Amino acid sequence: MKLLVCIKQVPDAKDVRLDPVTNTLAREGVDSIMNPYDRHALEEAVAIREQLGGMVSVITMGPPQAEAVLREAIACGADEGVLVSDRAFAGADTWATAYTLAFAAQALGAFDLILCGKQAIDGDTAQVGPGLACRLQIPYVTCVQKTRHVSRDAIEVERMMDDGYDVVRLPLPALLTVVKDINEPRVASLKGKMKAKKATIRQLSAADIGADPLCIGLTGSPTQVVRVFSPEARGDRMMFSGNVQQQVEQLVACLKNHL
Amino acid sequence: MDYFFTEHQQMIIDTAREITNEKIIPVRAELDEKNEFPKEILQDIAKADLFSIFVPEEYGGFGGGCYEIVLAMEELARGCVGVATSFAASALGIFPVLIAGSDEQKQKYLPDIAAGTRWAAFGLTEANAGSDASGIQTTAVLDGDEWVLNGTKQWITNGGEAQIYTIIALTDPSKGARGASIFVVEDGDPGFSYGKKEDKMGIRSSATRELILKDCRIPKDRLVGKRGTGFITVMKTLDVSRPGIASLGIGLAQAALDEAVVYAKQRVQFGKPIIAFQAVQHMLADMAIQVEAGRALVYAAARHIDAHPKNMSKASSMCKVFATDMAMKVTTDAVQVLGGYGYMKEYPVEKMMRDAKILQIYEGTNQIQRNVIGQELNKEYS
């Protein structure tokens, strides 16, 4: 079983601040961590490998310092780390990121299963996983809360829904994005940390993956961030009580007062 | 303070710290309340390779010394002494094999211990043999190719949960302590069963249980070391293990200090955070001095033991007494700093105070440790 886990280095959410002048994320002095959802994707991949054998590769697109999360992933059980890094990738939106990861994945060979976190805690878009699957033309399921059964040619999973879950069976190769309920990630082991320290991280540039320069980075990104700002604090909240009729009457009265 | 750890030692500390923060602290109150053995946490500890610290490299371990064990245990105890005790008891249980076992016995047991797939326990204490270990009454008689063990062990940590037990029994009752030998008894051996499970004041997540040996038959090759050398091996085992108990005191006291300082900064009385009052400040300062002094002594003793394995009793006993008496004092003071809140189960310090008490009692009471130190002084000055 060849497994690929897509991970992202993100600022530690406990520490996020906006630069008041530029209105961009202040990254100076802010710790970087592996996106928390991606830790669960990695744990699931490692657990599947422990069950069926095979190899877990982790990939990240990012600046050179993103190598740290790849080493962390190796310490937590991954077999190899691949850093997709090039100045030309800078400023990529989810469209260009999915394009880049798809080319990188293809450059690495064929995978049976690709796992991603549901979303990254910095952008919160949840688009890269599905985007990557579409680029690779493989089936995908988002918000997976449990792997029910996995074999060499198919996987059956539970997709979390608001009011329960769907059971989805899909042929491999496929892509899953996972939620935190799926597992409890392990603590990096001593042997894993020693392996991570010595591991060689493979680097792939835009040229290495054969990407079209017009489709990557800022140039290849149809969405552009115009402005980032801290939202103003919300106004007062009101709770209406009583039966539905009474609550609607209270709401209408309240809205009229504000017109 | 900076203790200038090696990269490898720092890796051990970081790993144990992650286990404590992610796996132990979120569930410790529930484990304490339910008297529940931390099986899943021990499995997490195993996956993180911490059980391999005290196993030599040739048997699949990291070949760490007393110092490395102490560093890991301190961090685990910062989370919960009950969990840390369960971990420590596996080390204690296998030390006799490490110290006196044959190569075959080491090959048979140590790789599983290092991987954390099997846990160990140490069976010395009996109803009439506590501080006076020579009072044991369990016997072992050779019958053909088998040893037949009879007796009851009491208050055995990891009892009923471990798979490998080192049992001290008399092979020659007429010689007293010199007639004692050590045997490996495995879970499932015929005639071996578990008795009463204890309901304790503290370290409630650890399992403390009776072991019952009733015509328990085990193969001849389960004797550890030579016949009649059991008591010497027990003394050596406890010399190596006591700094581990001392480090539980350090981790626990550090946790209590952390809680007390955080609370003192938040709690406002008479218009000020209570840390602004000198009466509270001085208590916190004394706690911090004691914790750091204890830590320095434990680390120094552990390094001494690693460097001088034949001359370790005094250092081992000194650090055990100081660190565990200190932990009792510091956890009691932490409850005092938190006042009424400290006495309530909503805050973790009441559990810390309950957990601290056993450290002064088990693996040799602090009174027995003072005896050891006194006897060593007597020898040194003769």
Side-chain angles (χ1 to χ4, degrees):
Chain A
M1 179 73 89
K2 281 201 74 183
L3 299 124
L4 179 67
V5 184
C6 302
I7 63 174
K8 184 178 185 186
Q9 190 180 44
V10 295
D12 194 341
K14 284 181 278 191
D15 227 9
V16 169
R17 299 186 305 275
L18 282 186
D19 184 320
V21 181
T22 61
N23 266 334
T24 53
L25 277 180
R27 290 188 183 258
E28 297 252 321
V30 177
D31 282 344
S32 291
I33 57 166
M34 190 192 301
N35 178 43
Y37 291 102
D38 302 349
R39 285 187 71 193
H40 295 267
L42 173 63
E43 175 64 35
E44 198 62 13
V46 172
I48 291 172
R49 183 201 60 200
E50 285 172 348
Q51 188 192 334
L52 294 178
M55 180 157 168
V56 175
S57 305
V58 277
I59 189 170
T60 191
M61 185 186 89
Q65 58 267 32
E67 188 181 312
V69 284
L70 293 170
R71 291 196 188 276
E72 188 185 339
I74 292 170
C76 291
D79 296 289
E80 66 161 4
V82 180
L83 177 64
V84 186
S85 191
D86 198 308
R87 282 183 173 275
F89 295 141
D93 67 359
T94 56
W95 179 268
T97 302
Y99 171 90
T100 307
L101 288 175
F103 271 70
Q106 281 164 339
L108 293 173
F111 289 95
D112 300 302
L113 187 61
I114 300 177
L115 292 112
C116 308
K118 181 184 77 161
Q119 64 199 57
I121 58 165
D122 54 354
D124 269 342
T125 66
Q127 291 168 350
V128 171
L132 173 58
C134 292
R135 288 275 182 193
L136 293 172
Q137 297 188 314
I138 56 173
Y140 70 92
V141 180
T142 57
C143 298
V144 171
Q145 63 172 19
K146 189 176 179 182
T147 302
R148 285 188 152 205
H149 179 73
V150 56
S151 67
R152 298 204 172 270
D153 51 12
I155 188 163
E156 189 176 296
V157 298
E158 290 178 9
R159 169 169 51 203
M160 180 183 271
M161 304 298 283
D162 286 341
D163 52 354
Y165 60 84
D166 295 337
V167 176
V168 186
R169 186 174 164 83
L170 60 171
L172 298 183
L175 181 144
L176 311 175
T177 78
V178 310
V179 294
K180 290 182 177 179
D181 304 55
I182 194 166
N183 55 40
E184 276 287 322
R186 72 194 64 193
V187 165
S189 68
L190 291 176
K191 282 179 193 148
K193 283 177 181 172
M194 285 166 137
K195 185 181 164 197
K197 211 179 105 194
K198 292 183 200 150
T200 307
I201 301 296
R202 193 168 157 193
Q203 301 235 7
L204 293 177
S205 66
D208 292 335
I209 62 173
D212 179 346
L214 293 175
C215 297
I216 58 174
L218 204 55
T219 320
S221 298
T223 47
Q224 313 238 332
V225 178
V226 180
R227 192 164 73 94
V228 177
F229 58 94
S230 299
E232 282 181 23
R234 286 187 190 178
D236 291 341
R237 290 184 190 189
M238 291 174 74
M239 299 295 281
F240 300 125
S241 56
N243 61 32
V244 175
Q245 181 69 33
Q246 290 164 331
Q247 288 185 45
V248 170
E249 282 167 10
Q250 289 172 56
L251 176 63
V252 170
C254 184
L255 288 172
K256 277 184 180 168
N257 278 343
H258 283 82
L259 284 175
Chain B
M1 275 192 208
D2 188 349
Y3 288 94
F4 304 97
F5 300 121
T6 63
E7 195 180 351
H8 187 230
Q9 288 163 345
Q10 191 61 52
M11 207 182 268
I12 289 171
I13 295 168
D14 292 343
T15 304
R17 183 169 295 160
E18 284 162 38
I19 292 275
T20 294
N21 292 343
E22 291 178 25
K23 310 287 183 186
I24 301 179
I25 290 177
V27 299
R28 63 183 175 189
E30 189 186 345
L31 294 174
D32 177 67
E33 173 82 26
K34 293 185 179 166
N35 226 354
E36 189 177 315
F37 187 73
K39 198 170 267 181
E40 282 180 19
I41 298 174
L42 292 185
Q43 285 162 352
D44 290 329
I45 290 174
K47 275 190 198 168
D49 297 327
L50 291 179
F51 278 107
S52 66
I53 296 173
F54 49 82
V55 174
E57 286 177 65
E58 60 263 44
Y59 303 107
F62 273 89
C66 186
Y67 197 18
E68 281 74 21
I69 299 172
V70 155
L71 296 175
M73 286 191 191
E74 177 185 335
E75 275 304 322
L76 297 176
R78 197 174 53 76
C80 174
V81 179
V83 174
T85 293
S86 310
F87 171 78
S90 196
L92 176 68
I94 208 64
F95 277 153
V97 175
L98 265 168
I99 290 167
S102 64
D103 191 48
E104 288 75 22
Q105 286 168 338
K106 289 179 185 175
Q107 292 285 2
K108 185 176 176 188
Y109 297 112
L110 293 181
D112 286 353
I113 292 288
T117 50
R118 290 209 279 177
W119 304 322
F122 183 65
L124 171 65
T125 302
E126 296 179 10
N128 296 316
S131 291
D132 179 9
S134 66
I136 57 170
Q137 291 169 328
T138 297
T139 57
V141 178
L142 192 60
D143 179 24
D145 282 341
E146 289 178 328
W147 288 98
V148 183
L149 276 66
N150 277 290
T152 301
K153 295 290 175 181
Q154 182 175 279
W155 302 335
I156 305 306
T157 306
N158 284 355
E161 302 291 346
Q163 295 78 29
I164 300 165
Y165 296 81
T166 43
I167 301 288
I168 293 82
L170 296 175
T171 40
D172 193 344
S174 65
K175 289 187 182 165
R178 290 186 180 188
S181 303
I182 300 183
F183 300 89
V184 177
V185 174
E186 295 181 23
D187 180 52
D189 277 338
F192 178 48
S193 62
Y194 308 109
K196 186 186 168 203
K197 198 173 173 187
E198 303 295 342
D199 189 10
K200 308 187 293 292
M201 172 190 195
I203 59 163
R204 291 171 57 80
S205 64
S206 69
T208 310
R209 206 158 171 187
E210 237 177 17
L211 308 181
I212 299 164
L213 301 143
K214 197 171 177 190
D215 292 327
C216 170
R217 300 186 84 88
I218 55 172
K220 198 177 168 183
D221 63 8
R222 299 270 195 87
L223 172 68
V224 179
K226 284 184 187 157
R227 190 172 168 159
T229 59
F231 205 67
I232 297 165
T233 306
V234 165
M235 291 301 127
K236 283 184 186 167
T237 294
L238 293 174
D239 276 348
V240 183
S241 71
R242 277 185 195 119
I245 302 305
S247 69
L248 301 187
I250 304 300
L252 173 60
Q254 181 67 56
L257 172 63
D258 293 344
E259 294 290 339
V261 176
V262 168
Y263 180 86
K265 284 169 74 80
Q266 289 170 352
R267 173 70 168 170
V268 175
Q269 290 287 276
F270 305 104
K272 293 178 191 170
I274 61 170
I275 199 167
F277 297 107
Q278 203 172 47
V280 175
Q281 264 182 22
H282 281 193
M283 276 181 86
L284 295 172
D286 283 337
M287 289 159 77
I289 294 164
Q290 293 292 300
V291 172
E292 207 58 60
R295 180 177 286 124
L297 177 58
V298 175
Y299 291 177
R303 295 175 73 175
H304 172 89
I305 287 166
D306 286 337
H308 306 285
K310 288 190 173 162
N311 173 24
M312 59 169 99
S313 295
K314 193 174 79 175
S316 171
S317 291
M318 284 187 351
C319 75
K320 198 266 184 182
V321 169
F322 189 87
T324 60
D325 283 352
M326 178 280 289
M328 191 70 247
K329 169 100 176 69
V330 168
T331 53
T332 307
D333 286 347
V335 172
Q336 191 68 25
V337 170
L338 271 77
Y341 289 107
Y343 199 72
M344 303 300 157
K345 283 187 186 284
E346 281 80 18
Y347 283 81
V349 290
E350 67 83 29
K351 170 184 181 293
M352 292 175 183
M353 185 176 161
R354 283 188 284 115
D355 285 352
K357 187 64 210 170
I358 192 62
L359 300 176
Q360 296 175 301
I361 299 170
Y362 68 8
E363 286 202 45
T365 62
N366 284 6
Q367 287 69 31
I368 287 290
Q369 305 310 320
R370 289 179 169 92
N371 283 1
V372 172
I373 298 162
Q375 286 155 11
E376 291 292 320
L377 286 172
N378 196 13
K379 271 194 248 168
E380 279 174 28
Y381 287 82
S382 62

